[in-house]
Amino acid sequence: MAYSEVDKVAINTIRLLAVDATFKASSGHPGAPMGLAPAAHVLFNRIMTYNPKNANWVNRDRFVLSNGHACMLQYALLHLAGYKMSLDDLKAFRTVDSATPGHPESHDTEGVEVTTGPLGQGFANAVGLAIAERHTAAVFNKPGFDLINNHTYVFLGDGCMMEGVASEAASVAGHLQLGNLIAIYDDNHISIDGDTNCSFTEDVAKRFEAYGWHVVVVDDGDHDLEGIEAAIKKAQAVTDKPSLIKLKTTIGFGSKQQGTHSVHGSALKPDDITQVKIQFGFDPEKTFVVPQEVYDLYHKRSAHGAAREQEWEQLLAKYSQAHPAEAADLKRRLSGQLPEGWEKSLPTYAATDAAVATRKLSETVLTKVEAVVPELLGGSADLTPSTLTRWKAAVDFQPPSLGLGDWSGRYIRYGVREHGMGSIMNGLAAYGTVIPTSGTFLNFVSYAAGAVRLSALSQVRVIWVATHDSIGLGEDGPTHQPIETLAHFRALPNCMVWRPADGNETSAAYYVALTSKHTPSILALSRQNLPQLENSTIAHAIKGGYVVHEAANANITLVSTGSEVGICVDAVKYLKEHHNLTARVVSLPCFEVFDAQSKEYRLSVLPDGIPSLSVEVMSTMGWERYTHEQFGLNRFGASGGYKDVYKKFEFTPEGISKRAVATVEFYKGVSNLRSPVNRAFQQLI
Amino acid sequence: MAYSEVDKVAINTIRLLAVDATFKASSGHPGAPMGLAPAAHVLFNRIMTYNPKNANWVNRDRFVLSNGHACMLQYALLHLAGYKMSLDDLKAFRTVDSATPGHPESHDTEGVEVTTGPLGQGFANAVGLAIAERHTAAVFNKPGFDLINNHTYVFLGDGCMMEGVASEAASVAGHLQLGNLIAIYDDNHISIDGDTNCSFTEDVAKRFEAYGWHVVVVDDGDHDLEGIEAAIKKAQAVTDKPSLIKLKTTIGFGSKQQGTHSVHGSALKPDDITQVKIQFGFDPEKTFVVPQEVYDLYHKRSAHGAAREQEWEQLLAKYSQAHPAEAADLKRRLSGQLPEGWEKSLPTYAATDAAVATRKLSETVLTKVEAVVPELLGGSADLTPSTLTRWKAAVDFQPPSLGLGDWSGRYIRYGVREHGMGSIMNGLAAYGTVIPTSGTFLNFVSYAAGAVRLSALSQVRVIWVATHDSIGLGEDGPTHQPIETLAHFRALPNCMVWRPADGNETSAAYYVALTSKHTPSILALSRQNLPQLENSTIAHAIKGGYVVHEAANANITLVSTGSEVGICVDAVKYLKEHHNLTARVVSLPCFEVFDAQSKEYRLSVLPDGIPSLSVEVMSTMGWERYTHEQFGLNRFGASGGYKDVYKKFEFTPEGISKRAVATVEFYKGVSNLRSPVNRAFQQLI
């Protein structure tokens, strides 16, 4: 069907909604929405299938705005299409508690698939969404039941193109031959520093071809609607490669400043707005105008999507009869609930069981749980033999043509691409049918900090299996030994950092991580063997903190995590024998979860009247919240056998005891010593 | 000169030193050294100019081992060449306090230019080293005085190739046409997960061509020494592009397991070692053997380097006569000392001066200081108009052919590549003649966490101008508002995090950052205007913390940083008027620097007997070390005008007062209240 005048009106409507909203907010980015409106219009009107009345329909096409600063484009489209996005919402753009924040946030705004803005992330999320589709289709589709076959479309700009996280994800997508992924690159030659000539002169098309992508160029993205549609259809036809459409556009199209940096990040001036509106045939006196014909056009498309969804629901109904188990599994996955009784698969241990590294215990959990939780989708950033993330029966997720696995495979070889992995995991989780759990060394989760932050902000369930969690990794030395890492992620809101001390705590960490639908988790796991603790149980550990060793009339409470808990238990004996001091030991594997317990419980673990000392072989930052004194490592580690390294830094029963004695001395005579759990006021949450 | 038998012996000697050292350590990576020994031998024997007796000679060729796990290769070469690296050091590989840690550390080991191991970093460091050479040459070379003309060589493996940080740096290097940079890619087709086919099937050569690199392929990197040398010479001849030599090698060459993942990360088995030694013509009973002819060969090359340095010193002597000012400047820069009296250029302010954003105050500092500190090398990750990092008179650092600047330019357009920028800055600082200072938003310093960590570990002077430092950035919203960021970098050892509150504090932050030769700094700066404080001076602020508002018989100390200090000052009045409470106010712009002050001083700022409350609009983590109670934001922020956002979260005089009252109440009746500065024992440093 040819494009007509109403399409032009629609495109200009979108442009002017962005102009009006940024002007009203005195803030925001009109340039990219004005440049991308034609492509967005084609995509939302002729290409994508979606139903605004059921924004979570699993087989909808996904749209990601990786250049999230262009969000007025997305908000305008959501409004026109009939999502929960009113004209008043658009008018409240960038005001506190609106549905239209400065960058799109998936947990706030229906129709926004993933939270974007930090550049490069959305593109990598889209790779995750596309992987999830391939996998879900392979698992659930049956002859005659093409249940899952959606595309993922992503817009990205020059900024995203320059980010390493996008490069990593692009290489993964090319390797995986994700033919269901279509990226539209807004090649407008402008970034914040001005013309991209000043820093970005590479040949993007050639680079993407090198990654194994199919590349199409559209020369006039401002006007050539037919060309845009043809390029997308060409991309759809290439099913064994992801496609990049290099779309040349004019940033701020229509503005007097079009094609320059000045339309990128601030509102247009009043006289410019007037001339744009006149130029586009709109009344310059009016704002936030949507002609009825534009609504009609979009509602027609939404109705088409609703009809498609209806057909799909009928297909699902038939599928449920033909394949009842699969249908039930799909529905359950989409609810976010794990299979009934899955937790019985979690291994448990007795104190008499052998000492085992928590990374190895994690492998055991994954091996037991994967069999009953089919949505678990493992992987590693090229550290599989070290992170032990691949269960024995695993098949790799690979394009079948490589002969290394298939689309139904549940283990992703991310390569040495931690940031890409983190961001892809966010996309996987956002799809709705899988729970990604992937491994690297704890120290290199920091490479992915940008992605982890968005996991937390966008409230997705992803699990980092972060092994080699301390100086206990030994010989690899300070370049690999985390010091600041736990403090970093403990300070991140809505992120659970677990550092289990033994087998039961490892099972507990997985239990909480897997059942927390809206919170990512980082599991910090040891390279070295750790003993099974006396009083550790899953029930205790899922409280985030509990008493490992109780003692009446204790002189001190030792509070620790992971590999140091066992040393603290040994220190109890040392303290008694050498100093006649009685010590309690508390394990605090997860601050965030402990903080959520009742004050009464927390005070039972960390009571008033007893001085406390934390013991953890890394930055002491944050421990002051739980203990009176802190023994840690506020310096870099050392390369050597891990026992030698622990000895060098005095993390031994003797070294701990020395500090415990100093602590007891220091608090002697302090009457009514309060537990740090007692606070003067509540924090805002 | 043709290669002879002794070259083969030398190559096998290197291989076997790696075999023996990893076996003795029961740990480490023999595979890459065995595969790369031929290329390393050619490079160190026929190509590079260096003088082990003066490892810091500025015009030496630089060598970077980006695949740092192959460090036994580098240690073996340093030993053979005659650096401070004894056979005993090699035998102490990967033991505590040795000169041969598990990955190369520049501050520990002479001849190691940069600290590597975290993949991709060394490659990006090399880009920084190459930029520094181009710039230093442009500034100091004169007709007849080709003083600076060294090359930078970098080895990298598949792991580095997959990392986004390397992609970013490669794009920058291509754009900048760094003909002095030659990268040798160890294309051995093996990474930890096995054959790179499982995750890395892109066309690397094509990708680098797309970045604007010159690419050469060497098909037999195991034997073809002539081919390796020819490829490097070909690369040297291309002076307007960086070069990538794609070198096909066999990992673990000589081992029974050669060409497989099993030789990557663990020592060879005894029987394998025996057969390798026999195969190479070495006595299988002996370990750590270096034939005298091999020493002779290397010492000849070192002598060649020493002679070249002698000639260079003579050139410098003549240069000092012809261009005394430039010569003095170069020598001063190399000493790490700033020009005498430079600090007089730091602006100072009176309390009556206008309120100004600290990002703007930072611009003023840079503008004043750049004129007297010529080694300042600015830049931004495509946020120049926002970070205000470009002083007015700046010329861009660009290849002259682009017409956008020249090599002597002192402002680098990094593009949207924060991680690459951070890692490039580390290389710039390591070169020895420049001090890099670059900008992005504080939130996106997290993208560069991997690089910042290595700045701290390798003790280099780099300065991050990290603007838009809190919810005070307003409308951009939670995706851009740091919450965990300060806690993260405050927990990082040897990293100064500054959050200045006004003009004098901003000057103080720069003063300490610029004079700290071995510590990186992050300057967290506001988007919004901040008032000049009553009692702020550079002298006060360089102590990291000081009293902004003193009061006799105070009921509470409010402790704050940056944009919240002024609000605390306002809260003093509110507390007096509404609650008849007397408050002191302390500004604590830099924890690390404050911690280094005497206990007496710290107690004068945070005295016993007065309850204290910290006020900072982000994670409270870490504040427990300085204050009894904490008012912060342990959740994500909000999108809106910054005053509305501050109000929403109650960071107002009223909101602060409410918590101050609760704090005073809570500590009422606590006798002998101790300042948190008092600790039971000293931390290990």
Side-chain angles (χ1 to χ4, degrees):
Chain A
M1 204 171 71
Y3 287 89
S4 68
E5 199 52 39
V6 64
D7 292 292
K8 283 188 200 159
V9 175
I11 290 165
N12 289 332
T13 298
I14 295 167
R15 287 173 169 146
L16 292 176
L17 286 172
V19 166
D20 285 339
T22 51
F23 184 77
K24 184 160 193 301
S26 301
S27 161
H29 302 76
M34 294 174 85
L36 279 170
H41 176 72
V42 170
L43 196 60
F44 275 74
N45 250 279
R46 301 286 175 101
I47 304 290
M48 277 174 55
T49 301
Y50 54 88
N51 179 7
K53 300 300 167 232
N54 180 7
N56 295 321
W57 171 35
V58 63
N59 200 38
R60 69 192 180 277
D61 287 328
R62 303 302 197 275
F63 172 73
V64 175
L65 187 73
S66 190
N67 46 345
H69 54 272
C71 55
M72 262 312 301
L73 176 70
Q74 188 164 17
Y75 299 150
L77 289 161
L78 293 177
H79 171 68
L80 297 181
Y83 284 86
K84 280 188 199 149
M85 174 66 68
S86 68
L87 220 45
D88 281 340
D89 289 328
L90 300 186
K91 290 176 185 168
F93 182 52
R94 290 188 156 223
T95 59
V96 166
D97 296 329
S98 71
T100 45
H103 293 83
E105 296 179 39
S106 56
H107 65 288
D108 260 11
T109 310
E110 209 175 82
V112 172
E113 303 288 353
V114 290
T115 298
T116 58
L119 295 172
Q121 299 290 340
F123 175 80
N125 296 162
V127 174
L129 286 164
I131 291 173
E133 187 278 339
R134 283 288 88 156
H135 176 74
T136 308
V139 170
F140 290 103
N141 288 359
K142 303 284 172 195
F145 293 102
D146 199 18
L147 214 54
I148 304 290
N149 59 8
N150 72 280
H151 278 85
T152 297
Y153 300 92
V154 52
F155 280 7
L156 73 160
D158 291 301
C160 292
M161 270 297 175
M162 292 188 243
E163 289 286 6
V165 60
S167 298
E168 290 177 15
S171 181
V172 170
H175 169 80
L176 291 176
Q177 305 174 12
L178 300 175
N180 57 343
L181 174 64
I182 298 175
I184 298 178
Y185 162 39
D186 183 18
D187 182 19
N188 65 24
H189 235 272
I190 292 294
S191 67
I192 293 180
D193 271 17
D195 192 297
T196 52
N197 265 345
C198 79
S199 64
F200 188 50
T201 46
E202 61 173 61
D203 182 340
V204 170
K206 186 171 175 177
R207 172 155 70 96
F208 271 68
E209 283 169 7
Y211 291 136
W213 285 57
H214 163 241
V215 179
V216 201
V217 177
V218 176
D219 278 321
D220 183 4
D222 297 331
H223 303 95
D224 185 8
L225 304 183
E226 288 79 6
I228 295 168
E229 184 174 336
I232 298 174
K233 291 196 165 147
K234 209 168 149 193
Q236 288 176 336
V238 177
T239 57
D240 62 346
K241 286 181 178 182
S243 288
L244 180 76
I245 298 173
K246 194 166 174 288
L247 181 78
K248 296 188 187 169
T249 71
T250 303
I251 190 169
F253 182 88
S255 160
K256 288 196 279 190
Q257 307 287 330
Q258 72 174 30
T260 74
H261 153 260
S262 22
V263 289
H264 166 77
S266 43
L268 269 53
K269 302 234 159 31
D271 64 326
D272 195 10
I273 296 177
T274 300
Q275 77 78 23
V276 175
K277 288 188 177 173
I278 292 170
Q279 185 191 149
F280 288 169
F282 281 64
D283 183 344
E285 300 300 315
K286 292 185 181 163
T287 59
F288 294 96
V289 171
V290 180
Q292 188 56 43
E293 54 184 346
V294 174
Y295 279 131
D296 292 346
L297 188 66
Y298 269 81
H299 293 170
K300 207 170 128 193
R301 184 70 195 175
S302 297
H304 160 266
R308 292 286 296 274
E309 195 210 334
Q310 269 312 309
E311 292 163 25
W312 187 90
E313 298 290 352
Q314 288 164 12
L315 186 69
L316 179 66
K318 282 184 202 155
Y319 180 87
S320 302
Q321 295 184 328
H323 306 281
E326 286 83 351
D329 185 25
L330 178 63
K331 287 173 193 167
R332 181 192 58 72
R333 291 189 190 202
L334 290 169
S335 77
Q337 295 297 334
L338 299 179
E340 193 76 35
W342 75 276
E343 70 279 1
K344 298 194 186 86
S345 298
L346 287 168
T348 55
Y349 300 83
T352 47
D353 286 340
V356 185
T358 47
R359 63 172 169 151
K360 185 81 188 160
L361 293 161
S362 158
E363 183 186 39
T364 305
V365 173
L366 288 171
T367 300
K368 302 252 184 193
V369 166
E370 69 88 11
V372 291
V373 183
E375 59 265 49
L376 219 63
L377 196 59
S380 179
D382 194 52
L383 283 169
T384 301
S386 299
T387 55
L388 305 177
T389 31
R390 192 169 189 270
W391 51 87
K392 281 193 190 73
V395 171
D396 280 3
F397 176 85
Q398 294 278 6
S401 67
L402 291 179
L404 299 169
D406 60 50
W407 296 126
S408 74
R410 290 166 58 198
Y411 194 79
I412 301 180
R413 305 283 184 171
Y414 287 98
V416 190
R417 306 180 181 101
E418 299 81 6
H419 201 175
M421 178 168 85
S423 188
I424 288 170
M425 284 206 286
N426 290 343
L428 288 171
Y431 191 81
T433 56
V434 294
I435 302 175
T437 161
S438 298
T440 184
F441 288 176
L442 177 60
N443 194 49
F444 300 118
V445 181
S446 302
Y447 268 44
V452 176
R453 183 170 216 277
L454 287 173
S455 307
L457 176 58
S458 62
Q459 305 178 4
V460 291
R461 176 167 46 178
V462 309
I463 301 174
W464 284 85
V465 182
T467 68
H468 296 63
D469 72 344
S470 75
I471 55 169
L473 64 82
E475 294 86 351
D476 273 345
T479 56
H480 287 52
Q481 293 165 348
I483 298 294
E484 77 288 5
T485 319
L486 293 190
H488 170 191
F489 293 115
R490 283 170 177 159
L492 181 66
N494 193 41
C495 176
M496 289 189 291
V497 177
W498 284 89
R499 190 166 186 250
D502 73 353
N504 292 329
E505 289 195 10
T506 303
S507 289
Y510 271 103
Y511 176 83
V512 180
L514 285 166
T515 53
S516 298
K517 290 190 211 173
H518 302 295
T519 305
S521 301
I522 297 172
L523 276 44
L525 302 167
S526 74
R527 177 185 186 227
Q528 73 272 33
N529 288 341
L530 307 182
Q532 308 302 327
L533 300 171
E534 202 57 70
N535 196 29
S536 112
T537 64
I538 294 179
H540 286 157
I542 60 171
K543 293 187 171 170
Y546 65 99
V547 181
V548 166
H549 173 78
E550 193 51 279
N553 303 314
N555 303 101
I556 189 164
T557 303
L558 302 174
V559 189
S560 188
T561 71
S563 39
E564 287 76 72
V565 179
I567 311 178
C568 285
V569 171
D570 291 344
V572 170
K573 212 177 146 198
Y574 191 98
L575 275 165
K576 181 53 84 183
E577 285 177 5
H578 292 75
H579 303 283
N580 195 29
L581 290 177
T582 302
R584 308 164 70 238
V585 179
V586 164
S587 181
L588 209 66
C590 184
F591 287 11
E592 292 84 347
V593 171
F594 184 67
D595 288 349
Q597 306 304 315
S598 71
K599 187 171 176 188
E600 189 189 352
Y601 177 73
R602 286 181 287 133
L603 275 172
S604 76
V605 175
L606 302 172
D608 291 326
I610 308 176
S612 54
L613 172 69
S614 68
V615 181
E616 190 175 59
V617 290
M618 41 192 88
S619 172
T620 56
M621 184 163 283
W623 273 105
E624 298 90 348
R625 200 174 285 177
Y626 305 99
T627 59
H628 297 100
E629 299 293 319
Q630 297 78 37
F631 179 29
L633 202 57
N634 293 311
R635 51 155 288 167
F636 289 105
S639 169
Y642 87 87
K643 286 181 184 169
D644 296 334
V645 176
Y646 267 67
K647 205 170 161 189
K648 174 181 169 72
F649 297 121
E650 305 181 23
F651 287 96
T652 57
E654 189 179 352
I656 293 168
S657 297
K658 189 170 119 189
R659 286 153 184 95
V661 169
T663 300
V664 172
E665 279 302 315
F666 190 70
Y667 289 90
K668 202 166 264 175
V670 175
S671 58
N672 303 322
L673 182 67
R674 274 180 182 153
S675 166
V677 165
N678 290 300
R679 313 305 299 172
F681 56 87
Q682 291 285 318
Q683 295 291 331
L684 292 168
I685 323 179
Chain B
M1 204 170 72
Y3 288 89
S4 69
E5 198 53 37
V6 63
D7 293 292
K8 283 189 201 161
V9 176
I11 289 165
N12 289 333
T13 299
I14 295 167
R15 286 173 170 146
L16 291 175
L17 286 173
V19 166
D20 285 340
T22 51
F23 183 77
K24 186 160 190 301
S26 302
S27 162
H29 302 77
M34 295 174 84
L36 279 170
H41 176 72
V42 170
L43 196 59
F44 276 73
N45 249 280
R46 300 287 174 101
I47 303 290
M48 276 174 54
T49 301
Y50 53 88
N51 179 8
K53 301 301 167 226
N54 180 6
N56 294 321
W57 171 35
V58 62
N59 199 37
R60 69 191 181 277
D61 286 329
R62 303 300 197 278
F63 172 73
V64 175
L65 186 74
S66 191
N67 46 345
H69 53 272
C71 55
M72 261 312 301
L73 176 69
Q74 189 165 16
Y75 299 151
L77 289 162
L78 292 177
H79 172 67
L80 297 181
Y83 284 86
K84 279 188 199 149
M85 175 64 69
S86 68
L87 220 44
D88 281 341
D89 289 330
L90 300 186
K91 290 175 184 168
F93 181 53
R94 292 187 156 225
T95 60
V96 167
D97 296 330
S98 71
T100 44
H103 292 83
E105 296 179 39
S106 56
H107 65 287
D108 259 11
T109 311
E110 210 175 82
V112 172
E113 303 288 353
V114 291
T115 298
T116 58
L119 294 173
Q121 299 289 340
F123 176 81
N125 296 163
V127 174
L129 287 164
I131 291 172
E133 188 278 338
R134 283 289 87 158
H135 177 72
T136 308
V139 170
F140 289 103
N141 289 0
K142 303 285 172 193
F145 293 101
D146 199 18
L147 213 56
I148 303 292
N149 59 6
N150 72 280
H151 278 85
T152 298
Y153 300 92
V154 53
F155 280 7
L156 73 161
D158 290 301
C160 292
M161 270 298 175
M162 290 188 246
E163 289 286 6
V165 61
S167 298
E168 291 177 13
S171 183
V172 170
H175 169 80
L176 291 176
Q177 305 175 11
L178 299 175
N180 57 345
L181 174 65
I182 298 175
I184 298 178
Y185 162 41
D186 184 18
D187 182 21
N188 65 24
H189 236 271
I190 293 294
S191 67
I192 294 181
D193 271 16
D195 193 296
T196 51
N197 265 344
C198 78
S199 65
F200 188 49
T201 46
E202 61 173 60
D203 182 341
V204 171
K206 185 170 176 177
R207 171 155 70 96
F208 271 68
E209 284 169 6
Y211 291 137
W213 286 55
H214 164 239
V215 180
V216 201
V217 178
V218 176
D219 277 322
D220 183 4
D222 295 331
H223 304 95
D224 185 8
L225 304 184
E226 287 80 4
I228 293 169
E229 185 175 333
I232 297 175
K233 290 194 166 150
K234 207 168 151 192
Q236 287 176 336
V238 176
T239 58
D240 63 345
K241 286 181 179 184
S243 287
L244 180 78
I245 299 173
K246 193 165 175 288
L247 181 78
K248 296 188 186 169
T249 71
T250 304
I251 191 170
F253 182 88
S255 159
K256 289 195 279 191
Q257 306 287 331
Q258 71 174 29
T260 74
H261 153 259
S262 22
V263 289
H264 166 78
S266 43
L268 269 52
K269 301 233 157 36
D271 64 327
D272 196 10
I273 295 178
T274 300
Q275 76 78 22
V276 175
K277 288 188 177 174
I278 291 169
Q279 185 192 148
F280 287 170
F282 280 64
D283 183 344
E285 300 300 314
K286 292 185 180 162
T287 59
F288 293 97
V289 171
V290 180
Q292 187 56 44
E293 55 184 346
V294 173
Y295 278 131
D296 293 345
L297 186 67
Y298 269 81
H299 292 169
K300 209 169 125 193
R301 183 70 194 174
S302 297
H304 161 266
R308 290 287 298 273
E309 194 208 336
Q310 270 311 309
E311 293 163 23
W312 187 89
E313 298 291 351
Q314 288 163 13
L315 185 70
L316 180 64
K318 283 185 202 154
Y319 181 85
S320 301
Q321 295 184 328
H323 304 285
E326 287 83 351
D329 185 27
L330 178 61
K331 287 172 193 168
R332 182 193 57 74
R333 291 190 189 200
L334 290 169
S335 77
Q337 295 298 336
L338 299 180
E340 194 76 34
W342 75 275
E343 69 279 2
K344 297 194 186 88
S345 298
L346 287 168
T348 56
Y349 300 82
T352 47
D353 287 339
V356 186
T358 48
R359 63 171 171 153
K360 185 79 188 162
L361 293 161
S362 158
E363 183 186 40
T364 304
V365 172
L366 288 170
T367 299
K368 303 253 184 191
V369 166
E370 69 86 10
V372 291
V373 183
E375 60 264 50
L376 220 62
L377 196 60
S380 179
D382 194 51
L383 283 170
T384 300
S386 299
T387 56
L388 305 177
T389 31
R390 192 169 189 268
W391 51 87
K392 282 194 189 71
V395 171
D396 280 4
F397 176 85
Q398 294 278 5
S401 67
L402 290 180
L404 298 169
D406 60 51
W407 296 124
S408 72
R410 290 166 58 199
Y411 194 80
I412 302 179
R413 304 284 184 169
Y414 288 98
V416 190
R417 305 179 181 102
E418 299 81 7
H419 201 176
M421 178 168 84
S423 189
I424 288 171
M425 284 207 285
N426 290 343
L428 289 171
Y431 190 82
T433 56
V434 294
I435 302 175
T437 161
S438 298
T440 185
F441 289 175
L442 177 60
N443 194 50
F444 300 118
V445 181
S446 302
Y447 268 43
V452 176
R453 184 169 214 277
L454 287 172
S455 308
L457 177 58
S458 62
Q459 304 177 4
V460 291
R461 176 167 45 178
V462 309
I463 300 174
W464 284 85
V465 182
T467 68
H468 296 62
D469 71 344
S470 75
I471 54 169
L473 65 83
E475 294 86 352
D476 273 346
T479 56
H480 286 52
Q481 294 165 347
I483 298 295
E484 77 289 5
T485 318
L486 294 190
H488 170 194
F489 292 114
R490 283 170 178 161
L492 181 66
N494 192 41
C495 176
M496 289 188 293
V497 176
W498 285 89
R499 190 166 185 248
D502 71 355
N504 293 327
E505 289 196 11
T506 303
S507 290
Y510 271 102
Y511 177 83
V512 180
L514 285 165
T515 53
S516 298
K517 290 190 210 173
H518 303 295
T519 305
S521 301
I522 297 171
L523 276 44
L525 303 167
S526 73
R527 178 184 184 227
Q528 73 273 32
N529 288 341
L530 308 182
Q532 309 302 329
L533 300 171
E534 202 58 69
N535 196 28
S536 111
T537 64
I538 294 180
H540 285 158
I542 60 172
K543 293 189 169 167
Y546 66 99
V547 182
V548 165
H549 173 77
E550 192 52 279
N553 303 313
N555 302 99
I556 189 163
T557 303
L558 303 175
V559 189
S560 187
T561 72
S563 40
E564 288 75 73
V565 180
I567 310 177
C568 284
V569 171
D570 291 344
V572 170
K573 211 176 146 199
Y574 191 98
L575 276 165
K576 181 55 84 181
E577 285 176 6
H578 292 77
H579 303 284
N580 196 30
L581 290 177
T582 303
R584 307 166 70 239
V585 179
V586 164
S587 180
L588 209 67
C590 183
F591 287 11
E592 293 85 345
V593 170
F594 184 68
D595 288 349
Q597 306 304 316
S598 71
K599 187 171 175 187
E600 191 190 349
Y601 177 74
R602 286 181 287 132
L603 275 172
S604 76
V605 175
L606 301 171
D608 292 326
I610 308 177
S612 54
L613 171 69
S614 68
V615 180
E616 190 175 59
V617 290
M618 41 193 89
S619 172
T620 57
M621 184 163 284
W623 272 107
E624 298 89 348
R625 200 175 282 176
Y626 305 98
T627 58
H628 298 101
E629 298 293 320
Q630 297 78 35
F631 179 30
L633 201 58
N634 293 311
R635 51 156 288 167
F636 289 106
S639 169
Y642 86 87
K643 287 181 183 169
D644 296 334
V645 176
Y646 267 66
K647 205 170 162 192
K648 173 181 170 70
F649 296 121
E650 303 180 24
F651 287 96
T652 56
E654 188 177 354
I656 293 168
S657 298
K658 187 169 121 189
R659 286 150 184 96
V661 168
T663 301
V664 172
E665 278 302 313
F666 190 69
Y667 289 91
K668 203 166 264 177
V670 175
S671 57
N672 303 322
L673 181 67
R674 274 178 181 154
S675 166
V677 165
N678 291 298
R679 314 304 300 172
F681 57 87
Q682 291 284 318
Q683 295 291 329
L684 292 169
I685 321 180

